[in-house]
Amino acid sequence: MAWWHGTTIYQVYPRSFADGNGDGVGDLRGLIAHLDHIRDLGAETVWVSPFFPSPQRDFGYDVTDYGSVAPEYGTLADADELIAQCHRRGMRVLFDLVLNHTSDEHPWFRESRRSRTNPRADWYVWRDGRGRHGRRPPNNWRSNLELRSAWQWSPGRGQWYLASFLPWQPDLDWRNPQVREAMFDVVRFWLDRGVDGFRLDMFGTVMKDEALRDNPFRPTLEDGDLPRLWRRPFNRNTEDNFTLARDLRAVTDAAPEPERILLGEVFGRSDELSGYLADGHGLHLVFLFDLLAFRYDAGFFRRLIAEHETAFPWPAQPAYALENHDQTRSIDLVGGDLRKARVLAVLLLTMRGVACVYQGQEIGLPNTYVPLRDARDPMVRELLWWLPEAVSRRLRRRVNRDEMRTPMPWTDAPGAGFCPDEVVPWLPIGHVPGRNVAAQAGREDSLLELYRRLLHLRGRARALREGTLRLLPTPRGVLGYARRGPAERWTVLANLTGRRARHQLTDRGELAVGTDPDVSVTGRDVRLAPHSAAVIGHR
Ligand code: GLC
């Protein structure tokens, strides 16, 4: 099997991982100095969120130059060094590519917005408006969170431009062959420097309906628990987007060995998203984000697994995460209960697919509360500034993305080992006793050591990474599945209830990893403590 098929990804948000030059902002030097943490943890692939030049209004997801490094993060030589240092440790590295939009300060857009006739006039999605004087947006598409139209009026051109996320992130027009070539060149630029692939930001919206048809109005609950008023057949997951996945694949396939990969950030139902894989000729992997919206409940996981088995049957691999730089820390979704966080770690790392761990998840880092008025996150500043603090404070799913982006705590020092103690970091550090790397390293019962044991087991046990999966009949509240490869077999059992549970295996097994000292396997008899899980090997 290809290297990526059974890999485990560790997501680094470089601004908050480690500050190498003491300015309170994480950087590439800091990341390089902490690569051993990721290697020792046992993750093989590092995905690094954007570090390219940017006004940092969306902290790098608003790029002004795809071919260099923002000075606050380092230099191009540091990026080369990052690639080399990952490879030296036998690891792979993925960069984060924002294909859908640029910053409005990108030279391409500055030129494009100037007139209807300049050489880059049609590099972005520009249209005349509707109605008298064209002052109504060209169609009914909504931007992020649906709170506004996706169209922005530009007095300079007397036209509208499309911005699917935030107003200053104009969408590139990928139907323009020059845009395609320019962006494919960006891909080639980093491939030539040795990167192992890309996480593709907002890939699902890159190719829009050619005629820009109105989306149908149909209220639903989707994308986790966000209510939506419009379906989006015309600006999301279009057939043309699946075709683009194939075209991009041809670009990465043309690079010399090892195989370079494409991991899409896409949203939608899993059966719809399998279109991106294009029977092995499209993206290598796509995130199935239904896990982000998990409920801590055996039934939820059973349904999720069953759905993935249908939509992404072996050898296709789903990719998933419990948290990321946009979504609530998972420990907070289980009420801070470390026993539950341990169960989640087992499920994440033994279900069938490519698992992604977000920095800090391995030490049970919770969200760090940041009031909306202090938010640096542009989603709050642009879209949610009106939300009363008293309401925001009570939301289970946090809306201020700052809260999951606070600095990685390496130690319990005032600067958490992230930055010098006397420096004020770009976001506040959440000093939670025991939730730092130094406090947990080497402590048998820590979450960090559990992640290590699981990742190292996953590294050795091919069946856990790439084997088939079969759901097992289990008592209520208990989830069980069997993983099978050519040479090994494993049983995973998780008790997601507050009561003890027992289970009879069909044949003898040995406990490889248990999340609780009260988990035991004797012959065929498995005993599970409340909120515990076991990975059991069979000879
Ligand atoms: C993706 C990123 C998010 C960013 C947005 C706009 O969803 O994960 O952080 O703000 O795209 O690029």
Side-chain angles (χ1 to χ4, degrees):
M1 282 284 174
W3 68 265
W4 51 269
H5 195 261
T7 194
T8 315
I9 300 174
Y10 185 94
Q11 183 194 352
V12 169
Y13 192 72
R15 203 172 183 81
S16 298
F17 194 58
D19 171 11
N21 65 354
D23 62 356
V25 172
D27 48 45
L28 297 186
R29 287 271 135 208
L31 164 55
I32 293 168
H34 287 77
L35 283 177
D36 286 346
H37 169 75
I38 305 172
R39 187 207 45 205
D40 295 347
L41 192 61
E44 298 126 14
T45 301
V46 189
W47 146 32
V48 191
S49 282
F51 48 79
F52 314 107
S54 155
Q56 307 293 349
R57 290 180 78 181
D58 194 17
F59 301 106
Y61 287 96
D62 47 338
V63 179
T64 49
D65 176 1
Y66 289 91
S68 62
V69 174
E72 61 201 300
Y73 293 128
T75 62
L76 201 50
D78 293 333
D80 290 339
E81 178 72 6
L82 172 62
I83 297 173
Q85 290 292 346
C86 288
H87 291 169
R88 188 162 305 158
R89 288 169 176 77
M91 303 194 309
R92 313 272 177 184
V93 57
L94 310 180
F95 289 172
D96 202 319
L97 263 194
V98 190
L99 302 177
N100 181 72
H101 50 261
T102 67
S103 158
D104 64 349
E105 294 178 34
H106 195 295
W108 296 343
F109 189 72
R110 285 173 183 262
E111 187 172 2
S112 189
R113 83 183 327 169
R114 235 177 342 223
S115 68
R116 298 186 185 203
T117 52
N118 68 72
R120 293 213 164 77
D122 48 7
W123 276 45
Y124 292 82
V125 185
W126 290 101
R127 286 293 184 282
D128 292 330
R130 292 186 288 192
R132 267 215 310 159
H133 313 301
R135 296 307 291 265
R136 271 178 47 225
N139 69 17
N140 73 354
W141 295 355
R142 310 297 290 176
S143 71
N144 180 33
L145 297 183
E146 288 193 341
L147 292 171
R148 289 189 191 160
S149 164
W151 296 92
Q152 299 296 322
W153 175 251
S154 166
R157 281 181 58 145
Q159 274 188 315
W160 298 82
Y161 68 86
L162 187 66
S164 297
F165 199 74
L166 290 171
W168 30 264
Q169 288 164 316
D171 287 29
L172 285 160
D173 188 350
W174 276 77
R175 294 193 181 273
N176 179 339
Q178 288 177 322
V179 169
R180 271 171 71 101
E181 259 328 291
M183 293 305 277
F184 285 0
D185 279 345
V186 169
V187 172
R188 293 187 193 103
F189 172 82
W190 290 109
L191 290 174
D192 287 346
R193 303 191 92 86
V195 77
D196 297 292
F198 304 94
R199 177 260 189 190
L200 305 173
D201 185 69
M202 278 182 67
F203 189 72
T205 53
V206 174
M207 291 300 290
K208 303 114 186 29
D209 178 50
E210 188 155 22
L212 305 185
R213 279 170 283 181
D214 276 344
N215 278 329
F217 182 78
R218 193 179 308 158
T220 45
L221 269 177
E222 58 158 67
D223 285 358
D225 46 8
L226 276 185
R228 295 242 164 218
L229 294 178
W230 280 273
R231 279 191 54 238
R232 284 168 286 168
F234 297 126
N235 60 347
R236 196 175 80 153
N237 303 336
T238 62
E239 277 303 321
D240 289 344
N241 225 5
F242 299 152
T243 307
L244 176 64
R246 288 172 177 264
D247 297 346
L248 257 182
R249 173 69 174 259
V251 177
T252 53
D253 277 355
E257 292 276 305
E259 190 174 9
R260 319 300 176 91
I261 68 156
L262 300 166
L263 162 63
E265 185 201 34
V266 290
F267 299 90
R269 290 190 329 266
S270 48
D271 54 346
E272 185 179 1
L273 299 183
S274 62
Y276 286 106
L277 305 185
D279 293 322
H281 301 289
L283 306 187
H284 300 75
L285 297 164
V286 294
F287 274 120
L288 302 183
F289 284 125
D290 27 13
L291 186 61
L292 284 175
F294 77 90
R295 272 193 301 114
Y296 181 84
D297 167 82
F300 172 87
F301 283 95
R302 184 173 281 277
R303 279 191 299 279
L304 179 99
I305 290 172
E307 227 179 274
H308 290 182
E309 287 305 305
T310 315
F312 283 68
W314 195 92
Q317 285 282 71
Y320 40 65
L322 282 166
E323 55 189 65
N324 62 28
H325 65 296
D326 295 329
Q327 299 288 335
T328 308
R329 292 279 186 182
S330 55
I331 183 100
D332 283 354
L333 296 176
V334 292
D337 190 334
L338 276 165
R339 295 174 306 170
K340 296 182 181 174
R342 295 167 75 84
V343 170
L344 291 174
V346 168
L347 298 179
L348 176 74
L349 297 174
T350 62
M351 293 191 315
R352 193 175 65 76
V354 168
C356 186
V357 176
Y358 175 47
Q359 67 183 49
Q361 179 182 335
E362 72 276 32
I363 52 169
L365 189 66
N367 298 300
T368 303
Y369 173 65
V370 180
L372 296 179
R373 63 167 186 282
D374 296 338
R376 315 263 329 243
D377 177 7
M379 244 168 75
V380 173
R381 296 165 78 109
E382 296 276 350
L383 300 174
L384 294 170
W385 48 268
W386 47 270
L387 194 69
E389 193 63 45
V391 173
S392 153
R393 209 184 245 286
R394 281 203 298 272
L395 294 176
R396 208 169 91 86
R397 299 210 162 260
R398 309 303 302 155
V399 294
N400 182 357
R401 296 179 301 172
D402 292 353
E403 297 186 5
M404 36 256 157
R405 298 173 176 180
T406 56
M408 175 80 177
W410 298 96
T411 68
D412 62 3
F418 166 76
C419 63
D421 291 346
E422 64 285 1
V423 165
V424 181
W426 81 284
L427 280 179
I429 296 170
H431 290 284
V432 182
R435 302 292 164 83
N436 63 69
V437 175
Q440 295 189 20
R443 263 194 43 200
E444 264 299 286
D445 61 346
S446 69
L447 187 62
L448 176 63
E449 292 300 334
L450 175 68
Y451 264 93
R452 273 195 195 147
R453 282 199 293 281
L454 286 166
L455 281 161
H456 284 266
L457 176 64
R458 189 178 156 99
R460 290 193 305 276
R462 230 180 109 189
L464 286 178
R465 298 197 310 273
E466 315 190 79
T468 57
L469 181 148
R470 187 168 50 86
L471 283 163
L472 301 173
T474 39
R476 251 179 96 108
V478 176
L479 175 71
Y481 46 86
R483 302 293 316 267
R484 182 190 280 272
E488 342 129 46
R489 262 179 337 110
W490 302 86
T491 301
V492 179
L493 290 165
N495 176 12
L496 288 89
T497 73
R499 302 174 304 274
R500 297 176 175 281
R502 289 179 74 163
H503 178 81
Q504 284 290 110
L505 299 165
T506 44
D507 58 341
R508 304 173 62 84
E510 262 169 47
L511 184 64
V513 178
T515 63
D516 187 296
D518 283 341
V519 170
S520 67
V521 180
T522 329
R524 293 172 47 206
D525 186 33
V526 184
R527 288 167 189 247
L528 295 166
H531 302 300
S532 73
V535 186
I536 299 158
H538 302 278
R539 293 194 183 272

